[in-house]
Amino acid sequence: MSWRPAVFLAGLVLMLLWEGLVPARPWRAGRGRRLAFHLGVGAFNTALMRWALVPPLLAWAAFVRAKGWGAAGLLGLSGWTEIAVSLAVLDLLDYWWHRMNHRVAFFWRFHRAHHSDTELDATTSLRFHFGELVLSGGMKALWLLAWGPSPLAFVLFETAITACAQFHHANVDLGRAEPPVRLLLMTPRLHAAHHTASRRTRDMNFSTIFLLWDRLFGTLAEATREELEVLGLPEGRAGALSPRGFLASPVRLGP
């Protein structure tokens, strides 16, 4: 896992440079405060993941795999076949978890900290409430028990969803490359639709890696130009970069 921080940093720097040179949407304010705020959130969350969440999940994955528990073990999957199938299955489970975060009021209270950002760029991929990460860790423990992927497959999945999140949160547009890329992957244009203030598109486009899941389950939507003009949640827009407001998101009044 020593290579994961390098992949994370390289992806973030690449996306920041790309959107800085050719942004899809004009910057409405200076980026310095956003960068500082989200890097602070990201540093705390990275420490939480590295020291409190990922090690027990990896140990749990190794234990489940050694016991032969989970569907992957029962199916006798191994090697690169197991890794490829596990990546797809875990991404499918992540799709449903993301969808639950929008549909279940308790989970939404934590997830709305992510959606409260009134702009969208690569740093938004760092913007998650630590409570959501803890809940997600518990859910992933259940996934590991149910599917039983190898620890390597789980690490590659975690790396892939991080890289894809950096990519599709970035303020970039793929232009003519959009149609072929979206045949397989979630794109920045489609994920921007997921971050609009409009409920019509905000509660759609839940895929993280493979766009197949939104196509398959009927949750794929394009945003209009007017909808893309207003990103984030309608409420609390003035305090989008307030540490107090961000941390209090799960307990504040409102939907």
Side-chain angles (χ1 to χ4, degrees):
M1 283 184 60
S2 58
W3 45 269
R4 282 198 66 205
V7 173
F8 168 81
L9 289 173
L12 184 60
V13 170
L14 177 61
M15 291 302 109
L16 288 172
L17 290 174
W18 185 0
E19 67 187 9
L21 291 172
V22 282
R25 296 172 300 279
W27 303 109
R28 298 182 179 180
R31 302 179 67 194
R33 187 182 174 198
R34 287 178 53 76
L35 184 62
F37 180 79
H38 288 151
L39 285 179
V41 172
F44 179 84
N45 288 343
T46 298
L48 176 67
M49 294 289 294
R50 185 173 180 84
W51 302 112
L53 295 179
V54 172
L57 284 174
L58 281 175
W60 177 236
F63 179 78
V64 169
R65 187 70 177 175
K67 291 292 186 180
W69 297 343
L74 294 175
L75 293 171
L77 298 177
S78 62
W80 287 106
T81 300
E82 181 270 322
I83 290 174
V85 176
S86 291
L87 183 63
V89 169
L90 293 173
D91 190 50
L92 171 60
L93 293 170
D94 188 67
Y95 164 88
W96 282 105
W97 170 240
H98 189 182
R99 195 164 170 175
M100 283 177 61
N101 273 268
H102 282 249
R103 298 290 192 264
V104 179
F106 176 74
F107 295 144
W108 172 248
R109 286 189 167 273
F110 293 90
H111 187 57
R112 67 184 176 185
H114 177 66
H115 277 269
S116 62
D117 195 0
T118 56
E119 295 195 49
L120 187 68
D121 61 22
T123 68
T124 311
S125 66
L126 306 173
R127 185 189 177 95
F128 287 94
H129 196 281
F130 71 89
E132 179 177 351
L133 297 184
V134 172
L135 291 170
S136 178
M139 186 60 65
K140 287 175 182 178
L142 295 178
W143 300 353
L144 294 174
L145 178 61
W147 178 247
S150 63
L152 177 58
F154 180 62
V155 169
L156 291 176
F157 165 71
E158 288 291 302
T159 304
I161 60 172
T162 298
C164 286
Q166 291 171 339
F167 167 65
H168 64 230
H169 282 94
N171 182 15
V172 298
D173 192 87
L174 302 180
R176 284 184 288 183
E178 176 79 17
V181 172
R182 71 165 59 178
L183 289 175
L184 180 65
L185 302 175
M186 171 60 72
T187 66
R189 187 185 300 176
L190 286 173
H191 197 73
H194 180 71
H195 275 265
T196 64
S198 168
R199 287 291 296 271
R200 185 189 75 83
T201 53
R202 190 179 76 211
D203 289 341
M204 302 288 275
N205 300 355
F206 297 107
S207 298
T208 299
I209 302 175
F210 302 117
L211 195 59
L212 167 66
W213 314 127
D214 281 306
R215 296 186 189 278
L216 187 62
F217 298 110
T219 53
L220 184 63
E222 297 274 3
T224 65
R225 183 175 298 179
E226 291 73 21
E227 286 172 322
L228 289 172
E229 286 294 317
V230 185
L231 301 177
L233 300 179
E235 68 276 5
R237 300 183 65 80
L241 298 180
S242 163
R244 180 180 297 179
F246 178 80
L247 291 173
S249 179
V251 296
R252 73 166 186 251
L253 297 177

